[in-house]
Amino acid sequence: MNLGLIGLGKMGNNMRERLRAADIDVVGYDNNPAVSDVADLAALAAALPAPRIVWVMVPSGAITDSVINDLAGVLEAGDLVIDGGNSRFTEDFKHAELLAPKGISFMDAGVSGGIWGLKNGYGLMVGGKKDDVDRAMPIFDALRPEGPRDEGFVHAGEVGAGHYAKMVHNGIEYALMQAYAEGYELLDTKKDIIKDVTGTFKAWQRGTVVRSWLLELLVLALEQDPEFEDIEGYVDDSGEGRWTIEEALANAVPVPTISASIFARFVSRQEDSPSMKAVAALRNQFGGHAVKKAD
């Protein structure tokens, strides 16, 4: 099995390594020549046997647009492009329409797993035609976690469905992180009662209904910096949370918890807070997202 992989940043490079460990022959391209296997997209296409599969793993928006537009000029009929970045689902329709006249298929893949994906595997939500999904399944199987396929992979629907599912996933993620963070602040302010905040969270990891991977990551972050002294309580949002709320408004679906978590992030940009430090630490743990160091 052969794959072209464009974008070898934090996730893309780990994905290349995991795929190669599963005997997928990966040709990677990045604008950083130190990590790239080929000099440009034309060389990438030339290095892959036809019909080709090319996975795009670059930042959403203008960069993804540019890459897919350039791929349209170097790929051929019968090839398949998969956008595995965090594009908005409406962009998928545009990209599929751009490639279709050239006979190039398109799929979208929502990917979750962050910097831990190399070891643990990636949760995958894909949108596209069944024939294209079946064709790319060895790649999905190599990337997903071990265990039953349906517990780490879903063909969510037609083009756009993968990124729509990932958008909602991230909206839920925002709310879960905010709940843990608010709990942290409440525990941390009652030091006369709670003597071991980190230990309290750690004790919830088995047997309780709030156990989760996010909880494990919060414990890891607390063990590294119990008072979050090295992190400012400033938290960005990468788009999916806002898009989730916009979809909720368009469809008259109440999402008060997700909405509140977004607004809490806006508060974090106005003043430092313990709960926002916890959210910042969580984002750094699971995704390697940048944090602002405290003065």
Side-chain angles (χ1 to χ4, degrees), residues 6-7 9 12 44-45 54 67 71 104 124 131 157 172 182 185 219 239:
I6 301 171
L44 178 82
V54 177
V67 168
L71 282 174
I104 302 169
L124 301 171
D131 288 348
I172 294 170
E182 291 172 6
E185 183 166 2
V219 170

Side-chain angles (χ1 to χ4, degrees), residues 1 15 28 40 56 67 91-93 116 123 149 159 161 163 177 186 203 212 260 282-283:
M1 188 80 187
M15 290 169 66
D40 52 34
V56 179
V67 168
E91 293 295 289
D92 297 325
F93 308 144
W116 295 83
R149 180 185 287 167
V159 167
H163 280 147
M177 286 195 291
L186 189 57
S212 72
L282 273 169
R283 294 179 80 243

Side-chain angles (χ1 to χ4, degrees), residues 12-151:
N13 195 49
N14 282 350
M15 290 169 66
R16 176 173 61 173
E17 187 173 342
R18 185 174 176 89
L19 288 162
R20 285 177 172 171
D23 294 325
I24 305 291
D25 189 357
V26 181
V27 179
Y29 170 72
D30 193 274
N31 58 11
N32 176 6
V35 299
S36 189
D37 298 320
V38 292
D40 52 34
L41 294 184
L44 178 82
L48 295 170
R52 306 167 183 84
I53 301 179
V54 177
W55 187 299
V56 179
M57 202 68 190
V58 300
S60 62
I63 297 177
T64 296
D65 285 343
S66 176
V67 168
I68 291 179
N69 186 68
D70 289 345
L71 282 174
V74 299
L75 296 182
E76 301 172 334
D79 292 344
L80 169 63
V81 173
I82 303 172
D83 178 9
N86 280 329
S87 295
R88 190 166 187 167
F89 75 97
T90 50
E91 293 295 289
D92 297 325
F93 308 144
K94 179 179 71 175
H95 295 149
E97 290 174 2
L98 171 68
L99 297 172
K102 298 178 179 292
I104 302 169
S105 297
F106 176 85
M107 289 180 58
D108 56 292
V111 182
S112 182
I115 58 176
W116 295 83
L118 172 59
K119 176 183 177 182
N120 299 336
Y122 301 88
L124 301 171
M125 301 139 267
V126 306
K129 296 178 180 178
K130 184 179 184 304
D131 288 348
D132 292 329
V133 174
D134 292 343
R135 176 180 165 190
M137 191 57 73
I139 296 165
F140 299 138
D141 280 340
L143 288 172
R144 68 175 176 82
E146 295 181 5
R149 180 185 287 167
D150 61 0
E151 293 182 4

